[in-house]
Amino acid sequence: MLPLRRQPSQVLPWLDIHSLRFRLTAGVVLASALTIGSVTAWLNWQLQQSLLASQQIAVTDLSQQFREDVTLYDTTMPTQAAVQKAIDQRAMGDTAIWVRTADEAMWAQSETLRMGSWQAAGITEFVQTLPPQPRVELVTVGDRSLALCVSTFDMAGQDLGALYVIKDVTQARQTYLAMMRHLVVISGSAVVVLAILIAVYVGRSLRPLKSLSQQVAGVTAEALDVTQLQLDQAPTEVTELALALDHTLECLAQSWTQQRRLLGDVSHELRTPLTLVQGYLQSTLRRCQTLTTDQRDGLETAAAEADRTIQILNDLLVLTRARMGHLQIGAAPIDVKPVLLAAVMQVDPAGDRIEADIQAAPLWVRGDANALQQVFVKLLENALNYSPPGTPVIVRAGRQADQAVVQVCDQGRGIPLAEQTAIFQPFYRVDVDRSRATGGTGLGLAIVHTLLTQMHGRIQVQSVPAVGSTFTVQLPLTQGE
């Protein structure tokens, strides 16, 4: 029995996780996704560092400019007034500046801290709790992002407290986040597009291998010696594989030819002496009247076995000649009805087992009368051998369109669905033990299929286990004589 083979998906073959196409595509796409993801993460980090550095530099520069303004105004007005004027000049809608003394008292501040939007966002409350330790950083208050610079503030060597500069960078951060979202979308889209392109490219690259697989799968025993694998613009590795397979097929063809020739020679050489032995046994049984009962039984058994062996050899010769192209089949117009009735009489001389129902006559087909009768005989013998005793076998003949149709129906054990296509192979037997009991060799249906193929006909089987089987023969109709 052949081992079971995994069948690929017919709906979405590219989703077959065991296929080379899927593995190559998945591997390359995964590597590309990791590369693009790494680049995206690096760009994200770079942009984040750039945003942080730029805002820190901005508030640091603003703090320095504020000090310069205070130094300039301090020559013409009191220090506190100079500080307040510098705050009013430098503070904008998104910037707040204030100075807090060493005892945490607010010495000067911008109007920004009194804005309703800043108070509602909790920024004003937040800045009141900031410690005076010098630092430059980005902080988050609610949904707002702030750049903060805290430094000591002194004038003329006098420590006035701590200078606080804060700038609302929420818009810049939102812009940065939008850029990140766009970057992620672009990266994801790039991965998807790249996956599609890679899948298409891998599929095209594997076409020669798929073509090679299909050609090898279509090789039959009869076509071994004429099979030549054809590949166009295939990669070097696939071409080398094709050459190796060609060599293997050539060796198989030689072995198959030698096997068929040996089988034909052996069958032919054995048939002649067996025919002589059979004739001698039949002559002895007819002419010798002094045989005891045991002797006659023994000779009758020997004659029957010789006849059976000759029939097997004849079947082997037919198969061998057909596969070697040496089988000669006539192509004369013949009427199916007399051939079928002759086969029925040959198989069932008593006429108590086979019921014939010929619905249309004449049915002219083109072929060989002896070969066609052999087809019907083997189908009828097969039906009788595998039917329970006393059950009838029904034979129908009729016309369907341009075909002559003959059906042989039995009420036997039936044939499992999985084996219905294999029964026409030589030596194949569904039930080995029962075939031995009925004398079956597994050649009958193979002979039927071979002879019908030579006459441009075909045979089909419909069977239900424990119910029975129906073998249908179809032959093209032709003009009668």
Side-chain angles (χ1 to χ4, degrees):
M1 180 179 293
L2 293 175
L4 294 177
R5 296 181 296 177
R6 180 182 54 84
Q7 296 293 332
S9 171
Q10 300 298 322
V11 180
L12 295 175
W14 55 274
L15 281 181
D16 181 9
I17 61 175
H18 299 284
S19 68
L20 182 60
R21 177 179 182 178
F22 180 86
R23 294 182 180 184
L24 287 176
T25 302
V28 176
V29 170
L30 180 59
S32 302
L34 291 176
T35 301
I36 294 176
S38 300
V39 172
T40 302
W42 180 80
L43 288 176
N44 182 15
W45 182 80
Q46 287 289 332
L47 288 174
Q48 188 173 10
Q49 294 301 313
S50 176
L51 175 64
L52 177 61
S54 63
Q55 298 303 328
Q56 289 177 340
I57 292 174
V59 294
T60 302
D61 290 345
L62 184 59
S63 176
Q64 183 62 33
Q65 292 170 3
F66 171 79
R67 293 174 187 275
E68 294 175 355
D69 291 344
V70 171
T71 302
L72 177 62
Y73 298 147
D74 189 53
T75 58
T76 58
M77 60 183 67
T79 300
Q80 187 172 7
V83 170
Q84 189 61 52
K85 183 176 181 179
I87 289 175
D88 294 339
Q89 182 176 349
R90 292 294 176 180
M92 301 296 180
D94 61 347
T95 306
I97 304 174
W98 70 96
V99 177
R100 187 180 294 167
T101 61
D103 58 357
E104 299 295 326
M106 192 70 74
W107 196 49
Q109 65 178 354
S110 61
E111 291 297 325
T112 310
L113 293 177
R114 299 187 181 92
M115 291 174 57
S117 59
W118 281 50
Q119 291 179 352
I123 301 176
T124 302
E125 182 182 357
F126 168 75
V127 300
Q128 292 176 354
T129 62
L130 289 173
Q133 286 81 9
R135 63 188 182 278
V136 179
E137 62 182 354
L138 285 179
V139 295
T140 301
V141 179
D143 59 350
R144 299 289 188 93
S145 297
L146 307 172
L148 172 65
C149 177
V150 182
S151 61
T152 58
F153 185 61
D154 57 72
M155 292 292 297
Q158 181 181 0
D159 184 10
L160 299 180
L163 171 63
Y164 296 83
V165 178
I166 192 170
K167 183 179 181 181
D168 188 354
V169 295
T170 303
Q171 186 62 40
R173 185 168 180 81
Q174 290 177 347
T175 302
Y176 158 76
L177 293 176
M179 291 176 59
M180 287 299 98
R181 286 193 294 268
H182 284 89
L183 186 60
V184 170
V185 171
I186 292 173
S187 300
S189 302
V191 171
V192 173
V193 172
L194 188 61
I196 296 174
L197 293 177
I198 291 174
V200 173
Y201 176 76
V202 170
R204 290 181 177 272
S205 299
L206 293 178
R207 279 183 182 176
L209 195 59
K210 186 175 182 180
S211 174
L212 183 64
S213 175
Q214 292 174 344
Q215 292 183 53
V216 173
V219 175
T220 61
E222 291 76 9
L224 276 174
D225 53 348
V226 296
T227 298
Q228 183 72 31
L229 301 179
Q230 301 292 335
L231 294 176
D232 296 329
Q233 299 180 349
T236 303
E237 294 80 2
V238 179
T239 302
E240 292 175 350
L241 177 60
L243 292 175
L245 287 174
D246 270 333
H247 177 69
T248 301
L249 291 176
E250 183 179 354
C251 294
L252 287 174
Q254 294 175 357
S255 176
W256 181 241
T257 301
Q258 293 172 358
Q259 179 183 351
R260 288 184 298 186
R261 185 178 294 114
L262 175 63
L263 188 59
D265 293 343
V266 170
S267 300
H268 183 271
E269 294 298 327
L270 288 177
R271 187 176 61 169
T272 301
L274 278 175
T275 302
L276 294 175
V277 171
Q278 183 193 35
Y280 178 78
L281 291 173
Q282 294 291 348
S283 176
T284 302
L285 286 171
R286 286 196 307 268
R287 297 180 180 180
C288 188
Q289 304 300 326
T290 60
L291 295 175
T292 64
T293 302
D294 292 339
Q295 290 173 339
R296 183 170 294 277
D297 290 342
L299 289 175
E300 289 177 349
T301 301
E305 289 300 319
D307 183 68
R308 178 175 176 273
T309 305
I310 291 173
Q311 185 60 47
I312 293 174
L313 292 175
N314 288 333
D315 290 345
L316 288 175
L317 278 174
V318 170
L319 288 175
T320 303
R321 289 171 179 172
R323 294 187 174 184
M324 296 183 70
H326 299 159
L327 183 62
Q328 300 297 326
I329 293 292
I334 53 176
D335 185 6
V336 172
K337 179 179 178 179
V339 176
L340 180 58
L341 292 178
V344 171
M345 289 298 297
Q346 180 180 342
V347 177
D348 185 23
D352 58 352
R353 289 292 306 275
I354 299 177
E355 300 177 6
D357 179 15
I358 300 178
Q359 302 171 355
L363 296 171
W364 291 97
V365 297
R366 190 168 294 277
D368 185 271
N370 291 329
L372 186 59
Q373 182 173 338
Q374 187 177 2
V375 167
F376 295 147
V377 166
K378 290 190 177 296
L379 288 177
L380 293 171
E381 287 178 344
N382 187 74
L384 291 176
N385 288 336
Y386 290 93
S387 296
T391 59
V393 172
I394 300 175
V395 182
R396 299 188 183 96
R399 181 194 308 264
Q400 290 183 1
D402 60 346
Q403 300 283 319
V405 179
V406 176
Q407 292 183 323
V408 178
C409 309
D410 64 53
Q411 302 176 33
R413 300 173 61 180
I415 304 169
L417 181 62
E419 300 186 78
Q420 290 181 14
T421 57
I423 59 176
F424 298 104
Q425 299 297 323
F427 303 106
Y428 188 88
R429 293 182 289 185
V430 177
D431 190 334
V432 176
D433 293 335
R434 184 169 176 82
S435 296
R436 288 173 179 169
T438 58
T441 60
L443 293 175
L445 292 178
I447 293 291
V448 168
H449 182 269
T450 299
L451 294 177
L452 286 175
T453 301
Q454 294 289 323
M455 291 185 286
H456 305 288
R458 60 178 179 173
I459 183 168
Q460 297 175 327
V461 59
Q462 293 178 331
S463 182
V464 178
V467 175
S469 304
T470 298
F471 287 86
T472 302
V473 174
Q474 291 180 318
L475 289 164
L477 290 171
T478 188
Q479 295 294 328
E481 294 181 344

